[in-house]
Amino acid sequence: MGIAVLTMKASVIEMFLVLLVTGIHSNKEMTKKIKRPKFTVPQINCDVRAGKIINPEFIVKCPAGCQDPRYHVYGTDVYASYSSVCGAAVHSGVLDNSGGKILVRKVAGQSGYKGSYSNGVQSLSLPRWRESFVVSEGKPQKGVTYPSSLTYSSSKSPAAKAGETTKAYQSPSAPGTTAQPVPLMQALGTTAVEGTHTTLPKPPPSAGSTTSSLRPQPAGQRSQELGEPELWKPGSVLLDAGFVPKKELSTQSLEPVSQGDPSCKVDLSFLIDGSASIGKRRFRIQKQFLADVAQALDIGPAGPLMGIVQYGDNPVTQFNLKTHMNSRDVKTAIEKITQRGGLSNVGRAISFVTQNFFSKSNGNRGSAPNVAVVMVDGWPTDKVEEASRFARESGINIFFITMEGASENEKQYVLEPNFANKAVCRTNGFYSLSVQNWFSLHKTVQPLVKRVCDTDRLACSKTCLNSADIGFIIDGSSSVGTGNFRTVLQFVANLSKEFEISDTDTRIGAVQYTYEQRLEFGFDVYSTKPDVLNAIKRVGYWSGGTSTGAAINYALEQLFKKSKPNKRKLMILITDGRSYDDVRIPAMVAHHEGVITYAIGVAWAAQDELEVIATHPARDHAFFVDEFDHLYQVVPKVIQNICTEFNSQPRN
């Protein structure tokens, strides 16, 4: 009997253990399934505002058509949370009007938002708002889990329209794996707005490449939950127009925020020497110098942005302009850079930066000067002159910092003597810093920061396509005729399309003349390319005589006297016949006042007059075609000559 009981107990225990093991295994399987949810990208409509979504960081899919002006956007680069999420994505250039996926991060409110026109969207200005957001490409960051469904701030959310479910917001139970609210100090280099925040895990910085094996050197080389603030009322016309009633703005005080030093708004690339000859100790000194510069610059989206390219045999981007938005994160990323080794191919690195680094996808803002600071230990192992010329013509301001230059005995090994002067933006000493030894490099921090922030002296930001006031002087005489006049206007439009047009870049004006003269529009009237092209299209044919001399005088007085002092003044005159008045004295006055004049003659235009009107040498500034329909052939020649003349200016 006792044995039977024991046997029964053993069987029960064995069964219990089997069930226990099976249960544990099942729990593990369930845990695995829970830990690996399938991520689906939520879809939203164009009218969904960021402030209505509670999630601090999320990826969403926008539909097509969000460029529509019905979907209001407030701000530039950093947007008030009252903005349409998808409209802001189109404005920033992350999406086009066909829609797509974007990554949205909430950041702290700003003391003001500046409106601008970009990518077909006119954003509005806003005095201030207590929550903001930034948008980027919809690529998930490693180690961050994004929500498959969004959490909205009220049950009356627009989620259902896009097939979303609305749920109450809950903090994730697994810290460090799910996107958390982003303090602005971390996300954009500013101090977070008052409120309860948890910290977003920083995206992993670009890992520096492992040091390559040392290669033989040429002889002589030395070894709260942030929802939409309920400040607005449905149907508020003032708010939609970009203005917020004072009462609504005072609901929460803002701490002082910093988005970087606005007096130093530059897009800055450091080309650092990672060659084998530099050695580990000097490479560490170089990294400390970069960290000190980052601290001194006060990096942020409203001020300077900084990226780093390391060169050896080949260049590699360590991080670009949009990777880090404050000085602290840049310094952390610098610390993680490892030396690559290899040769010191500076010319190849400059070409790489010109072609790849300063792109919109890498954070180039367009509105900020491009600056490249090249750090060289000793001397380059390739030539820099041609690569640097191309960089300058592309609008990049090149600075050189040379450490421990070649001694008299070593100069025989230098491939390109005087390489720094052949590379820098100007040879006036402003763009070159020579350091006798690496231990003195720290003394260069403040002089360098002062120079790169002096945007008025960054001469290479100006290119042949973005630095002129161009006045078209158009013959509207009876001999032209209505049909040919439209052809002339198309020629004017084709030329204008080639330039970067804005109130700070190239500006366009136009005068039409017969016996009399008429200012069609001045330099300060239209500040975008579409507006300029539409204005050209609207010019009406006048008809009358041909007084070209009087037209030049009129243009000098009514158009070019209002040109900006820092602009090149270009006059492009188009005529089909000989002038009834004298052109010599007006042309001389134009040349004396620094107006570069191009004379385009058609059909019956007099060659001798064209050469008198044109700036010397006439072969580069006077053109003739026998028919109006052949005017289009002149466009590339005029553009080429404008740029050749610009790029041939002395670099001193």
Side-chain angles (χ1 to χ4, degrees):
M1 182 71 178
I3 293 173
V5 171
L6 289 173
T7 302
M8 186 179 297
K9 287 183 177 179
S11 299
V12 171
I13 291 171
E14 184 179 356
M15 186 180 297
F16 175 78
L17 290 174
V18 170
L19 291 171
L20 181 62
V21 171
T22 303
I24 292 172
H25 180 72
S26 298
N27 285 337
K28 285 183 177 179
E29 291 299 318
M30 290 178 64
T31 302
K32 287 180 181 178
K33 290 179 181 178
I34 291 171
K35 286 183 178 178
R36 298 178 183 175
K38 184 177 179 181
F39 174 63
T40 56
V41 178
Q43 295 189 14
I44 61 173
N45 289 336
C46 297
D47 59 353
V48 174
R49 297 186 295 270
K52 287 306 226 179
I53 301 172
I54 291 177
N55 307 81
E57 184 172 358
F58 51 90
I59 294 176
V60 292
K61 185 174 183 181
C62 292
C66 296
Q67 199 178 55
D68 194 301
R70 291 178 299 166
Y71 310 121
H72 297 296
V73 177
Y74 299 87
T76 302
D77 296 331
V78 180
Y79 301 96
S81 63
Y82 194 71
S83 304
S84 158
V85 173
C86 298
V90 176
H91 181 271
S92 68
V94 174
L95 289 184
D96 57 25
N97 202 36
S98 62
K101 291 190 293 184
I102 57 171
L103 172 61
V104 180
R105 285 194 298 162
K106 297 288 189 70
V107 294
Q110 309 300 297
S111 57
Y113 299 83
K114 185 177 180 181
S116 64
Y117 181 85
S118 179
N119 301 305
V121 175
Q122 176 65 59
S123 69
L124 303 173
S125 297
L126 198 64
R128 69 176 182 179
W129 202 255
R130 63 187 253 186
E131 185 186 55
S132 311
F133 68 101
V134 293
V135 291
S136 57
E137 293 180 5
K139 296 179 180 178
Q141 295 186 13
K142 190 175 180 181
V144 180
T145 301
Y146 298 92
S148 294
S149 60
L150 301 177
T151 306
Y152 290 86
S153 60
S154 74
S155 59
K156 296 180 180 180
S157 77
K161 297 179 184 178
E164 286 297 318
T165 56
T166 303
K167 60 181 181 180
Y169 178 69
Q170 294 178 341
S171 298
S173 58
T177 60
T178 303
Q180 300 292 312
V182 185
L184 192 57
M185 172 62 83
Q186 179 177 311
L188 290 174
T190 60
T191 304
V193 69
E194 290 181 357
T196 304
H197 296 273
T198 52
T199 305
L200 174 74
K202 287 181 287 198
S206 302
S209 302
T210 55
T211 306
S212 62
S213 58
L214 302 185
R215 303 194 179 194
Q217 300 296 302
Q221 278 288 312
R222 288 187 293 272
S223 8
Q224 167 179 204
E225 160 180 334
L226 288 176
E228 170 73 17
E230 296 296 334
L231 304 180
W232 61 279
K233 297 178 176 64
S236 174
V237 177
L238 286 176
L239 191 58
D240 279 354
F243 300 94
V244 181
K246 184 176 180 181
K247 180 181 178 181
E248 295 181 343
L249 290 171
S250 60
T251 59
Q252 181 176 355
S253 61
L254 293 171
E255 294 180 5
V257 294
S258 171
Q259 289 204 28
D261 181 2
S263 66
C264 182
K265 188 176 180 181
V266 295
D267 288 343
L268 178 62
S269 170
F270 275 87
L271 284 69
I272 66 171
D273 193 339
S275 62
S277 65
I278 191 174
K280 292 183 178 179
R281 185 180 185 187
R282 285 180 286 189
F283 191 75
R284 285 197 299 270
I285 294 173
Q286 184 177 218
K287 285 170 53 174
Q288 184 58 54
F289 169 77
L290 294 170
D292 293 343
V293 170
Q295 183 64 44
L297 279 173
D298 186 15
I299 291 166
L305 295 179
M306 177 175 166
I308 291 180
V309 170
Q310 183 184 172
Y311 67 87
D313 289 335
N314 294 296
V316 63
T317 301
Q318 301 291 162
F319 55 87
N320 63 34
L321 294 168
K322 68 179 184 181
T323 308
H324 304 292
M325 288 289 171
N326 59 67
S327 297
R328 182 191 63 192
D329 288 350
V330 168
K331 289 168 65 179
T332 301
I334 290 169
E335 181 59 33
K336 296 179 183 296
I337 295 175
T338 57
Q339 187 178 356
R340 294 181 60 79
L343 299 175
S344 183
N345 289 332
V346 177
R348 186 176 295 178
I350 293 172
S351 294
F352 173 82
V353 166
T354 304
Q355 296 170 20
N356 300 288
F357 186 86
F358 289 110
S359 64
K360 189 170 185 178
S361 61
N362 283 333
N364 186 35
R365 291 172 285 186
S367 59
N370 294 159
V371 177
V373 179
V374 184
M375 303 185 69
V376 183
D377 172 50
W379 56 90
T381 53
D382 65 349
K383 292 188 176 183
V384 303
E385 184 172 15
E386 185 63 23
S388 300
R389 182 188 62 78
F390 183 54
R392 292 192 301 269
E393 291 176 3
S394 300
I396 300 174
N397 297 273
I398 300 180
F399 287 76
F400 256 62
I401 302 177
T402 54
M403 280 74 65
E404 300 181 6
S407 66
E408 286 300 321
N409 293 333
E410 293 174 324
K411 285 183 178 179
Q412 60 181 313
Y413 304 116
V414 178
L415 183 64
E416 193 175 29
N418 202 26
F419 62 87
N421 270 349
K422 293 177 180 178
V424 292
C425 175
R426 295 287 185 270
T427 57
N428 55 11
F430 182 77
Y431 296 87
S432 302
L433 292 162
S434 180
V435 181
Q436 292 302 314
N437 62 74
W438 279 89
F439 300 104
S440 301
L441 182 59
H442 67 279
K443 298 177 182 178
T444 312
V445 172
Q446 289 303 327
L448 177 66
V449 169
K450 184 177 180 180
R451 294 184 194 193
V452 300
C453 290
D454 191 353
T455 55
D456 290 337
R457 294 190 64 180
L458 297 180
C460 285
S461 298
K462 300 178 179 68
T463 71
C464 60
L465 300 178
N466 70 4
S467 59
D469 279 345
I470 302 176
F472 289 97
I473 316 304
I474 305 168
D475 184 348
S477 61
S478 302
S479 59
V480 174
T482 304
N484 288 333
F485 188 76
R486 306 317 300 177
T487 304
V488 170
L489 293 183
Q490 186 59 55
F491 169 74
V492 171
N494 289 342
L495 276 173
S496 300
K497 286 177 185 176
E498 298 294 324
F499 293 90
E500 299 170 25
I501 296 173
S502 76
D503 55 353
T504 57
D505 295 313
T506 290
R507 304 186 303 168
I508 305 291
V511 167
Q512 184 181 175
Y513 74 95
T514 56
Y515 284 127
E516 300 178 283
Q517 307 84 35
R518 182 169 73 196
L519 180 65
E520 300 293 353
F521 54 90
F523 294 134
D524 56 353
V525 178
Y526 302 111
S527 59
T528 69
K529 190 175 294 187
D531 287 346
V532 167
L533 297 179
N534 285 331
I536 293 169
K537 191 184 299 183
R538 291 194 300 267
V539 172
Y541 177 47
W542 205 355
S543 185
T546 309
S547 295
T548 306
I552 294 172
N553 282 331
Y554 180 85
L556 293 175
E557 185 68 29
Q558 299 299 322
L559 200 57
F560 287 100
K561 272 202 172 178
K562 298 177 182 178
S563 182
K564 291 183 178 179
N566 62 339
K567 298 287 186 183
R568 295 171 72 230
K569 293 180 282 189
L570 302 180
M571 179 189 294
I572 300 177
L573 185 143
I574 308 105
T575 182
D576 80 327
R578 184 176 290 277
S579 177
Y580 294 169
D581 63 354
D582 179 61
V583 299
R584 294 179 181 275
I585 293 177
M588 288 176 59
V589 173
H591 301 161
H592 180 73
E593 292 185 3
V595 179
I596 301 169
T597 307
Y598 288 81
I600 317 295
V602 189
W604 303 279
Q607 186 68 37
D608 59 327
E609 276 192 353
L610 297 178
E611 292 178 359
V612 168
I613 294 168
T615 296
H616 181 78
R619 67 177 181 272
D620 295 332
H621 299 85
F623 301 89
F624 177 83
V625 293
D626 54 358
E627 296 181 15
F628 284 92
D629 288 342
H630 294 165
L631 273 171
Y632 74 93
Q633 299 173 354
V634 179
V635 172
K637 297 177 184 178
V638 173
I639 296 297
Q640 180 181 352
N641 287 9
I642 287 173
C643 287
T644 299
E645 186 172 50
F646 177 88
N647 294 327
S648 64
Q649 295 177 102
R651 293 196 302 114
N652 51 31

